[in-house]
Amino acid sequence: MSLSPIEMLKRQAAERAADLVRSGMRLGLGTGSTAAHFVDCIGERASQGLEVICVPTSERTRLQAEKLGLRLSTLDETPQLDLTVDGADEFDPQLRLIKGGGGAHLREKIVAAASRHMVVITDASKEVQVLGKFKLPLEVDHFGLAATLRHVEEATRALGCPGPIVLRRDAEGKNVLTDSGRLIVDCDLHAIPDPEGLATALSAIPGMIEHGLFIGLASAILVADLTGVRVVGQLPQDL
Ligand code: 5RP
């Protein structure tokens, strides 16, 4: 099957990340179109003898990995992982990310935090100097939604990035639900001057299950562009 130019870039980043994987490793599998390339690469290598245990970050990824015959586990059985490879919606030079475009950021963050290393794979279109061009996804509980969103609005205003906050709906107008059955809202903040401050403020809001800011989690970002795959940060040396 021939890939479009953008899918080729994602594939290159995924192949490079797959080169880090050795038999015996416990792997976190991310979610999204870029992470799906990585899962395919691992599937191919597993069919050639690579032996890994994989924890998926979404039902989508679990199904893909299952079809490829990968050995699956959960964080309950395997609470510590060696490496998680995942995509991102946006990243900045400090390796801070926005994730959750696919609504999986809660599980993605839990799996990344359970891993010794998180390596992100992207194409260069996701690179920004200041986070916020991509709408920040939040997973929120149904209960008290309006009150939760009022707190979110206050927090974004206080941190210098007010903007519309919209419940995510599908093409038929139905609320998008996460794998845990909760709602997603997207915050159109344009530019987030203080990602750490916003992350702290959002985490303190009751009803806010998880925000899509990933700070201090990624060890390295593999960025594919027309010239090849570039590394931002440091690839793990102790895998
Ligand atoms: C899903 C995510 C994805 O990693 C993010 O949306 C990037 O996806 P893609 O590789 O399809 O652009 O955070 O929740």
Side-chain angles (χ1 to χ4, degrees):
M1 191 185 59
S2 74
L3 295 176
S4 68
I6 187 81
E7 294 304 316
M8 297 246 296
L9 293 181
K10 292 177 188 179
R11 182 74 187 198
Q12 279 169 30
E15 292 279 4
R16 182 73 190 277
D19 290 344
L20 300 169
V21 178
R22 304 277 174 266
S23 275
M25 277 173 53
R26 299 158 298 178
L27 273 187
L29 303 178
T31 294
S33 58
T34 318
H37 283 290
F38 177 75
V39 177
D40 280 340
C41 293
I42 296 302
E44 269 171 37
R45 293 175 192 215
S47 68
Q48 293 156 10
L50 179 76
E51 288 184 17
V52 285
I53 297 175
C54 301
V55 174
T57 54
S58 64
E59 289 307 305
R60 245 172 305 163
T61 299
R62 189 181 61 73
L63 284 173
Q64 183 192 359
E66 211 169 63
K67 277 194 195 137
L68 291 166
L70 289 171
R71 187 170 157 204
L72 293 176
S73 185
T74 63
L75 286 184
D76 297 317
E77 288 166 0
T78 313
Q80 281 190 310
L81 305 179
D82 299 297
L83 173 68
T84 286
V85 175
D86 202 347
D89 296 300
E90 221 173 64
F91 69 93
D92 75 3
Q94 286 82 49
L95 283 78
R96 297 178 295 196
L97 318 172
I98 287 183
K99 286 185 53 56
H105 60 278
L106 170 64
R107 293 190 185 187
E108 290 171 333
K109 199 179 278 189
I110 294 172
V111 171
S115 305
R116 285 197 293 124
H117 298 285
M118 177 193 198
V119 169
V120 174
I121 48 177
T122 75
D123 59 87
S125 69
K126 311 284 184 68
E127 187 164 19
V128 295
Q129 287 307 307
V130 179
L131 294 176
K133 201 160 52 121
F134 190 90
K135 293 175 190 162
L136 178 67
L138 313 177
E139 178 163 344
V140 292
D141 200 63
H142 292 75
F143 185 85
L145 178 65
T148 304
L149 296 190
R150 197 176 64 80
H151 286 303
V152 171
E153 210 176 298
E154 278 171 10
T156 53
R157 202 171 328 110
L159 272 297
C161 47
I165 299 165
V166 175
L167 200 53
R168 194 182 291 182
R169 294 208 161 88
D170 64 18
E172 292 161 15
K174 291 199 202 109
N175 290 339
V176 170
L177 298 180
T178 65
D179 283 342
S180 306
R182 297 198 193 90
L183 301 165
I184 303 265
V185 295
D186 293 300
C187 308
D188 194 0
L189 307 178
H190 297 289
I192 303 172
D194 178 5
E196 282 80 1
L198 184 62
T200 304
L202 291 174
S203 294
I205 298 172
M208 231 289 310
I209 306 299
E210 194 53 81
H211 57 77
L213 285 165
F214 282 49
I215 298 176
L217 285 167
S219 314
I221 305 180
L222 293 168
V223 189
D225 63 22
L226 293 175
T227 63
V229 179
R230 167 166 62 90
V231 182
V232 179
Q234 274 263 305
L235 283 175
Q237 303 297 315
D238 57 347
L239 283 171

